[in-house]
Structures are given as C-alpha cells and as structure tokens.
C-alpha cells in the first residue's frame, strides 16, 4: 500500500474520530444495557457482535456527516479548526462517501436480524443523519442526540425478543436525560463560540441555570434507570451499580459548578464511567442471581 493511500486512510481515521473513542463508548453502553436486559443476562453472541460492530460503524458515520454539515462553522471554533474536513485536508464529497459507506456496512449487518429490527434501523439512520441539523433548529439538540444515541435500545430488544416492551422505552428516556446532561457539559466548552455563530445548544438555552438543569437531568436519568430495574425485577446488585453511577454524577456536578471549560470537558469524558457503572450493575445482577 502506497504512502499516499496510507495518508488518506489516516485522514479518514481522523474524520471518524478513531483517536477519540469516547463517543463510541457513550453510544455503546446503553446498547449493552438493553442487550443484557433483553437477553436476561445472556444475549446471543451473534447479535452482540452485530450491535457492537454496528455501534462503532454508526458512530463513525455520524462523525463524518456531522463534520460535513458543520464544516463552515467549525473553522470559527478553536477546538474544531483542525478537523480534517474543516482544514481542507479532504473534500466534502469524501466525507459523504465515508459516512455512506460505513452506514451501508452497518445496514448489511442488520439484514441478518428480524424484520422489526430492520425496520427500526431506518429510523436510527434518519436520526443519525438529521442530528447535525438540530443545532440550527432546536434549542436543546442534546435531547435529539439522546434519541439517536439511545435508539440501539429498542433495536436491541427487537433483535433479541422480536418486541419492544415498556422497559425499552423507559431505558431510552433515561438515556435521553443522561445525554442531555453530559452533552450540555460538552456544549458549555464551546458556548461562547456557538453564541457568535448563532447555533442552538442546551448550554445556551439553559443559560444561568445550566448547572441546575444538568443536575435535574442526571436525577431524572437515575430515577428512570431505577424504574427500569423495578420493571425487570433487578435487586441489590443492580442498585449498587446505580448508586455508583449516582456518585459519579455528583462528582461531575462538583467539577462543573464554576463552568470552567477544562472541568466541563473532563466531566463530559468521565461519563463513560457513569454508563459503565450502570452496565456493571446489570452484569452483577445476572452473575449473582442468574
């Protein structure tokens, strides 16, 4: 393989954030919650592999399509000026080709699942493709992101059980609240630039009540996760994981209280552990009680 081809692949890797896996992890944890819940602690290996690989592919495709829509805005934001599309290192049509290619591979994987899951995959694709537009249209685009990031939940239940029960929608609502919390922390980093560019984010919409709103969203997420556990009949092991996630949320609230950019970004990245603790509780529940 020539140096030129390797260099191009390296640019594509940067486009889809291979060097920044936090987005994939935040997308993966809710999917794993749902797979373990739907599979009663033992999801089919083939479905697990499809969803893990599909999560990686769709997050990567989402990064490419997001950069395509935001390429004119990103050059005015210090944090995003060096993105390969914004910097002119690749062409816009290349970003679209990468996004389309990755989404197509993900769809091919889904074709091996049941009809309900395939149908839901079209909704998931629509959500992923239209999320970047919400920053122009909707005051809290983080809520839309929560639906997009959490749509693996109903898809997981559909794949494993060929149905989407109430608990799946409760978990999706919990994920929406959690996403608004952590992505508002992320938006607080770019708030000044977003105001100048006329973009809409929860950090701008919530204004001086941003920290309070994040606390409310964390609280709602934990309550909804608790309700999901009640519906599933989970006990102390799960509640222990949820308690650890709650403690992590409290740490984040302490970090962001002064709205320092670095602290807000640190809290955003640390949400990986919130999702991991919820999953650890589900995993412990089935390991201990079967």
């Amino acid at each position: 393989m020539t140096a030129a081809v390797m260099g191009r692949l390296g640019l594509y890797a940067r486009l889809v954030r291979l060097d920044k896996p936090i987005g994939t992890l935040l997308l993966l944890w809710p999917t794993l919650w749902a797979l373990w819940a739907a599979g009663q602690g033992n999801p089919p290996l083939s479905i697990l592999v499809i969803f893990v690989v599909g999560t990686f592919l769709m997050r990567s495709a989402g990064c490419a399509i997001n950069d395509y829509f935001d390429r004119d805005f990103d050059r005015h934001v210090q944090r995003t000026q060096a993105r390969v599309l914004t910097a002119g290192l690749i062409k816009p049509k290349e970003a679209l080709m990468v996004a389309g290619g990755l989404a197509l591979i993900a769809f091919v994987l889904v074709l091996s699942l049941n009809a309900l899951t395939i149908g839901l995959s079209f909704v998931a694709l629509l959500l992923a493709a239209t999320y970047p537009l919400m920053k122009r249209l909707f005051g809290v685009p983080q809520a839309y992101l929560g639906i997009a990031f959490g749509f693996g939940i109903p898809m997981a239940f559909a794949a494993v059980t060929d149905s989407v029960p109430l608990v799946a929608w409760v978990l999706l609502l919990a994920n929406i609240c959690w996403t608004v919390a952590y992505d508002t922390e992320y938006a607080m980093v770019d708030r000044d630039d977003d105001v100048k560019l006329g973009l809409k984010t929860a950090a701008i919409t919530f204004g001086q009540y941003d920290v309070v709103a994040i606390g409310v969203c964390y609280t709602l997420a934990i309550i909804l996760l608790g309700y999901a556990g009640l519906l599933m009949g989970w006990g102390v092991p799960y509640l222990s994981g949820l308690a650890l996630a709650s403690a992590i949320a409290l740490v984040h609230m302490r970090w962001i209280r002064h709205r320092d950019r670095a602290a807000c970004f640190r809290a955003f990245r640390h949400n990986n552990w919130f999702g991991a603790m919820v999953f650890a509780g589900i995993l412990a529940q089935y390991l201990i009680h079967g």
Side-chain angles (χ1 to χ4, degrees):
M1 191 174 291
T2 67
V5 172
M6 290 296 294
R8 212 70 190 163
L9 290 176
L11 292 176
Y12 294 158
R14 288 171 57 191
L15 173 70
V16 301
R17 317 283 201 276
L18 285 186
D19 57 331
K20 298 176 180 178
I22 181 62
T24 300
L25 292 169
L26 292 173
L27 183 57
L28 182 60
W29 288 125
T31 305
L32 293 179
W33 304 344
L35 285 170
W36 254 256
Q40 296 291 307
N42 188 30
L45 180 60
S46 59
I47 292 178
L48 177 61
V49 170
I50 288 171
F51 272 83
V52 171
V53 174
T55 295
F56 168 76
L57 291 171
M58 288 308 298
R59 188 262 175 165
S60 298
C63 289
I65 197 68
N66 183 78
D67 284 7
Y68 173 81
F69 280 114
D70 286 356
R71 63 191 186 280
D72 294 327
F73 292 108
D74 284 347
R75 64 171 55 98
H76 301 290
V77 179
Q78 183 177 359
R79 185 179 55 81
T80 59
Q81 288 174 346
R83 288 180 175 173
V84 292
L85 182 55
T86 303
L89 300 176
I90 64 172
K91 297 178 180 179
K93 66 179 182 180
E94 291 179 90
L96 288 178
M97 290 173 61
V98 169
L102 293 171
L104 180 60
I105 296 171
F107 181 65
V108 170
L109 291 175
V110 172
L111 287 177
S112 64
L113 303 175
N114 58 41
L116 178 57
T117 310
I118 294 172
L120 290 172
S121 73
F122 288 101
V123 180
L125 178 61
L126 178 64
L127 290 168
T130 55
Y131 163 68
L133 299 175
M134 292 301 109
K135 288 176 280 187
R136 286 90 163 156
L137 304 173
F138 181 41
V140 188
Q142 284 73 17
Y144 195 87
L145 179 66
I147 301 173
F149 263 35
F151 212 73
I153 294 170
M155 286 182 65
F157 274 91
V160 175
T161 69
D162 202 19
S163 66
V164 185
L166 174 61
V167 67
W169 301 114
V170 173
L171 285 172
L172 178 58
L173 284 173
N175 187 72
I176 293 169
C177 294
W178 178 39
T179 304
V180 173
Y182 70 65
D183 206 58
T184 300
E185 293 168 349
Y186 187 58
M188 289 166 74
V189 178
D190 295 333
R191 175 162 33 201
D192 294 342
D193 292 319
D194 289 337
V195 169
K196 293 176 184 177
L197 293 170
L199 295 176
K200 300 178 186 295
T201 73
I204 295 170
T205 300
F206 295 148
Q208 63 180 323
Y209 302 107
D210 50 1
V211 175
V212 173
I214 290 170
V216 169
C217 288
Y218 272 130
T219 301
L220 289 174
I222 291 163
I223 290 172
L224 287 164
L225 286 168
Y227 180 45
L230 180 65
L231 291 173
M232 291 297 299
W234 294 334
V236 172
Y238 172 69
L239 293 176
S240 298
L242 197 56
L244 290 172
S246 302
I248 288 171
L250 289 174
V251 171
H252 295 172
M253 295 302 299
R254 185 174 184 276
W255 286 348
I256 68 172
R257 70 190 188 282
H258 297 306
R259 301 176 176 84
D260 176 74
R261 287 190 178 196
C264 291
F265 190 63
R266 180 188 181 192
F268 160 72
R269 289 175 56 86
H270 200 259
N271 272 277
N272 171 54
W273 293 106
F274 181 101
M277 288 304 101
V278 176
F279 178 65
I282 297 172
L283 189 62
Q285 179 70 39
Y286 286 111
L287 289 174
I288 295 173
H289 295 294

